[in-house]
Amino acid sequence: MESRPPYRDEASGVRRRRMLGLALGAGLAPALTPAAMATATATATATSTARSDTPVVASAALGRRVAEVATAQLGVPYAWGGGDRLGASLGFCDDENGYLDGVCMGESTVGFDCSGLSLYCWYRASHGTVELGHYTVAQFHRSAPVERDALAPGDLLFFSRPDAPLHHVGIHVGDGAMIHAERTGTLVARVEHALDVPRWAGEFAGARRPGPAG
């Protein structure tokens, strides 16, 4: 996140971002006893229930993997425009972004910006089945809304201000904590109970859950 409304700057830099990336057995007996029919019904019901739960379980497991990948990035430098499907990458400076005390840090820093981090974590954790654009607004619209009381690890937290709509994204990693890449000069960090912190609570624009492309 930078001093100038990042949604404008991200849009102008998109071109320069490097996008590297039950059935039961068919042979039934001619006649089934009542006991056999009851067993078959129970088996079918249990299998159906297990199948209906599978996407939920898979989604929860994927979210936990996203959180694990994000945790592994703690301490990586922030780089404006940095991060792709392969991990941290060299950033760049775009208008006023990427600078620290007037010095362009982006072009000499290998790291992540906020959307580069979320892009990488979801791509890596999903083994390439979820690929988000390197742009906060695009990631917001690429994901499904999640109520705050239903937050799970891996969900993306978006932040907005009147002067900078959807200027930042972080990764919810459970227990209210968020891992994010905030701005030039900082490292990828974990914020405990992020939505209880006045600064982030005041800018919270909603949570979203990415999924494979339809």
Side-chain angles (χ1 to χ4, degrees):
M1 186 167 59
E2 302 287 340
S3 57
R4 183 172 177 174
Y7 76 100
R8 293 174 53 195
D9 296 324
E10 283 196 55
S12 67
V14 166
R15 292 188 302 273
R16 298 183 58 189
R17 300 187 190 280
R18 296 183 298 146
M19 301 298 296
L20 296 174
L22 158 73
L24 293 172
L28 296 177
L32 291 176
T33 66
M37 291 181 65
T39 300
T41 299
T43 302
T45 300
T47 304
S48 177
T49 299
R51 285 186 170 182
S52 66
D53 288 345
T54 297
V56 176
V57 172
S59 178
L62 173 55
R64 288 192 295 270
R65 289 199 299 271
V66 172
E68 291 169 357
V69 175
T71 299
Q73 311 316 307
L74 290 172
V76 173
Y78 179 101
W80 173 257
D84 53 33
R85 295 176 298 175
L86 300 183
S89 66
L90 194 65
F92 59 87
C93 295
D94 186 4
D95 295 332
E96 297 178 6
N97 293 297
Y99 294 87
L100 181 64
D101 297 329
V103 178
C104 175
M105 300 295 292
E107 294 181 354
S108 60
T109 302
V110 173
F112 295 102
D113 64 10
C114 64
S115 56
L117 178 64
S118 52
L119 179 164
Y120 170 68
C121 291
W122 267 94
Y123 187 85
R124 176 69 179 270
S126 70
H127 305 293
T129 64
V130 179
E131 185 166 4
L132 302 172
H134 197 157
Y135 179 32
T136 303
V137 175
Q139 293 187 359
F140 182 88
H141 292 296
R142 170 72 175 74
S143 308
V146 178
E147 294 298 326
R148 181 169 174 172
D149 60 3
L151 281 172
D155 290 342
L156 300 182
L157 307 179
F158 291 87
F159 301 90
S160 182
R161 297 193 309 264
D163 65 321
L166 295 177
H167 67 86
H168 189 59
V169 59
I171 302 168
H172 181 256
V173 293
D175 297 324
M178 171 179 76
I179 290 178
H180 69 150
E182 186 175 357
R183 64 179 184 275
T184 300
T186 67
L187 307 177
V188 174
R190 177 179 172 121
V191 180
E192 302 295 341
H193 306 291
L195 298 184
D196 293 328
V197 176
R199 182 269 177 89
W200 298 113
E203 298 184 6
F204 184 54
R208 315 283 285 192
R209 184 169 300 160

